[in-house]
Amino acid sequence: MSTTSHARARRRDRRVYLRSHPVLFGLLAATRGRPVRRLGRTLLVHDADAYREALTRLPLDRTAAGTTGAAARAALRDGGGVLFDQEGGGHRADRRGLAGGLGAAGVEELRARWQPLLVRRLAPLAGGGEVDLVELARELSGAVVCALLDSPADPRAVAEAAAEAAAASVRSHLPGPRRPRAEAAAARAAERLRRLLGPGEDALSAMVAVAAVNTTVAALPRAVAWCADAGLWEQAADGGLRPALAEELLRVTAASPLLPRVAATDGSVGGCPVRGGDRLLLVARHAAGAHRRDPDARRPAGPALARLVFGAGPHTCPGARLAVVQLADVLAALAPHRPVVTRARVDRGAALPGWRSLTVRAGS
């Protein structure tokens, strides 16, 4: 692998930011020279230590407008909490409920669902055909959600509904003038998802579906594109290096690159005073060094840094293990073909930066 190859991979990946959220990510790039920067009542947090401090030591208002928790609660119309906005016993109880499906044994059971799917969907590569990795990621994420929730729904329909629910929720909570019908549209999209998942499915089930689908569809195609552009298929083919490569690719692509939070009380982050009600934009991709450190399984950043893209503290994403194992299996299935990217189109309407389509074919 060469510096030129990584530069090519970085240029392609940057397109998902510049074409989907150009103003926001231009601001983040312009302010990353300082660990923490204040703009009025908003703090932009780029530094790894300050990022951890904000998530583990500063009390946060998880129901405040403009946060992930508020968006989830409003869209799902659930007054009891949907994991993102919870604290204390309720949060711990819901995480325990997910632990069985997302722990080591649960992930091994899920692998039995997605490995045959990978064989079937990637078969065209052996004959010189092409595969759209976004379509693959949608079906794969939908299948995982249906297995986790024991839902009889069609995986692709679940994935489409979860993507629309997330996109509508993000539109309803974007900064700027209030959008009168945006919150209602988000709630309708979330309700369609709940009905699709089956009778009796609650807001937590819908939240699991939204989170799993949107992070997978954002992360997996971007990670594969980086692997192809940077010429990392030798590492992907090595069973000893592959898990570290998967973590590295998830680190540099950072599916959820920005965590919006609000301080509940006065405190400090990275030496900068914080007042209750201040908005915090926690830049996960900068905290994890995605903007300056290229992925390399032989010299990985290490889990303490790489896992920052999944958050920190008690609210760390419970699907981190699943994401790493899933991507490693995708890389293992693709490595014999050493795919190259033939076409890529940015999804301008998705909740997370990603590709609308990313087509690959077997390389030479």
Side-chain angles (χ1 to χ4, degrees), residues 213-264:
V213 166
N214 286 279
T215 53
T216 301
V217 173
L220 193 151
R222 289 177 57 199
V224 173
W226 195 304
C227 188
D229 289 340
L232 297 174
W233 292 119
E234 182 180 344
Q235 293 187 10
D238 186 325
L241 294 175
R242 193 181 305 124
L245 178 62
E247 288 212 18
E248 281 286 275
L249 289 170
L250 290 171
R251 176 181 64 81
V252 296
T253 52
S256 297
L258 183 68
L259 307 182
R261 300 290 187 265
V262 170

Side-chain angles (χ1 to χ4, degrees), residues 114-289:
W114 74 57
Q115 286 179 331
L117 189 156
L118 289 177
V119 171
R120 174 172 55 84
R121 291 300 305 267
L122 296 178
L125 295 177
E130 295 185 330
V131 172
D132 184 348
L133 290 175
V134 175
E135 289 185 4
L136 169 65
R138 287 196 190 105
E139 186 173 358
L140 181 63
S141 61
V144 166
V145 165
C146 289
L148 274 173
L149 301 178
D150 195 24
S151 170
D154 177 75
R156 283 170 290 194
V158 167
E160 290 174 6
E164 173 54 29
S169 181
V170 167
R171 286 194 293 270
S172 73
H173 284 73
L174 286 173
R178 185 172 178 83
R179 298 159 177 80
R181 292 182 290 276
E183 288 191 7
R188 287 195 300 271
E191 184 58 31
R192 284 196 297 273
L193 173 61
R194 289 170 71 163
R195 288 198 301 268
L196 183 62
L197 289 172
E201 293 296 348
D202 57 11
L204 178 61
S205 297
M207 187 282 298
V208 169
V210 168
V213 166
N214 286 279
T215 53
T216 301
V217 173
L220 193 151
R222 289 177 57 199
V224 173
W226 195 304
C227 188
D229 289 340
L232 297 174
W233 292 119
E234 182 180 344
Q235 293 187 10
D238 186 325
L241 294 175
R242 193 181 305 124
L245 178 62
E247 288 212 18
E248 281 286 275
L249 289 170
L250 290 171
R251 176 181 64 81
V252 296
T253 52
S256 297
L258 183 68
L259 307 182
R261 300 290 187 265
V262 170
T265 63
D266 294 352
S268 66
V269 171
C272 181
V274 177
R275 291 175 289 168
D278 279 353
R279 186 173 303 280
L280 307 171
L281 297 182
L282 309 179
V283 190
R285 71 183 305 268
H286 292 168

